[in-house]
Amino acid sequence: MSGLRARQKADRHRRIIEAAAALFRDAGYEGAKIEAIAMQAEVSVGTIYNYYENKGDILGAIVSLEVNEVLNAGRGVVARPPANVGDALDTLIGIYIEHSLHYLSKEMWRQAMAISTQLPDSPFGQAYTALDRSLTEQIRALIARLQEIGLVRQDIDGAALGELIFNNMNMMFIEFVKRDEARIPELRAAIRRQNRILVAAIGV
């Protein structure tokens, strides 16, 4: 019975998150009402409040779902990277960027960034920071893997390089989210152009 209850709970979570993501996109974060989310998810308002204190918590769950899906996809790249440093970085970062608007709109990302900045010590802010840290660690793991297989120089500080690559990508993503007219291919091309400088410096 406990297995069945766990599956039912997971299903309710998923329905709430999917309903909220759709409504946040259609009505905007501020315009979406908890009652409408409950109706679309086919759960009671009370059920939502059993899981989440407010809309910010639901948004945090959507961000977490987004980032954990790209982390799962990125593990395959770290384990079996392309045999070229530029391609390896582009493949991993491409997963992050291409998936970034799957659940969240730019308006939702702006809201999430605002909450994490305004309330850095809140559960939302701490979770957001932890997700960024996980992405950084995955890039660092890719650099370490590329060093293991002889594609990146051994004298390079791989941990610092991973942080540098993430921080640059993250800043460019923030600028991308700010502008509604900005498109993913433009962002990827800009990141690729800047990373070429690093690739030329770190390759064997």
Side-chain angles (χ1 to χ4, degrees):
M1 286 296 287
S2 61
L4 175 60
R5 282 196 296 271
R7 288 194 299 273
Q8 289 173 336
K9 183 176 180 180
D11 179 62
R12 284 192 294 270
H13 271 288
R14 186 78 184 198
R15 294 206 314 269
I16 292 168
I17 289 173
E18 289 177 351
L23 284 167
F24 288 166
R25 282 178 174 276
D26 294 343
Y29 176 80
E30 296 295 342
K33 304 299 182 187
I34 292 290
E35 293 79 8
I37 295 171
M39 183 179 299
Q40 188 155 320
E42 299 181 340
V43 300
S44 69
V45 171
T47 296
I48 291 182
Y49 283 116
N50 283 339
Y51 297 145
Y52 307 103
E53 286 190 12
N54 50 47
K55 282 196 300 184
D57 284 350
I58 301 174
L59 180 60
I62 298 170
V63 173
S64 181
L65 176 65
E66 174 75 60
V67 174
N68 281 306
E69 285 195 4
V70 300
L71 286 169
N72 286 334
R75 289 188 183 100
V77 180
V78 174
R80 296 175 298 281
N84 173 281
V85 178
D87 289 345
L89 285 173
D90 188 53
T91 300
L92 184 62
I93 290 171
I95 290 171
Y96 299 167
I97 299 301
E98 294 291 343
H99 201 286
S100 64
L101 300 181
H102 185 76
Y103 295 109
L104 294 107
S105 64
K106 288 187 177 183
E107 192 264 346
M108 291 163 69
W109 273 115
R110 289 193 290 265
Q111 189 70 41
M113 290 172 183
I115 295 171
S116 68
T117 301
Q118 293 164 1
L119 302 169
D121 296 324
S122 68
F124 183 105
Q126 291 177 350
Y128 194 96
T129 299
L131 292 169
D132 273 356
R133 193 175 299 117
S134 294
L135 291 168
T136 303
E137 288 300 324
Q138 189 165 74
I139 297 174
R140 291 172 68 175
L142 176 62
I143 298 300
R145 178 65 182 140
L146 294 173
Q147 286 179 311
E148 285 175 11
I149 59 180
L151 294 178
V152 169
R153 287 167 30 203
Q154 294 297 320
D155 63 326
I156 294 291
D157 182 341
L161 178 61
E163 292 165 9
L164 178 65
I165 291 168
F166 173 79
N167 290 338
N168 187 58
M169 175 195 72
N170 194 43
M171 181 55 66
M172 295 178 79
F173 182 70
I174 290 170
E175 292 302 315
F176 164 77
V177 165
K178 286 180 182 177
R179 298 186 296 115
D180 285 331
E181 70 276 11
R183 296 292 175 260
I184 282 178
E186 298 166 11
L187 174 61
R188 289 202 62 190
I191 293 172
R192 196 177 291 127
R193 178 177 59 82
Q194 294 192 10
N195 280 346
R196 282 197 200 104
I197 299 169
L198 289 175
V199 169
I202 66 176
V204 173

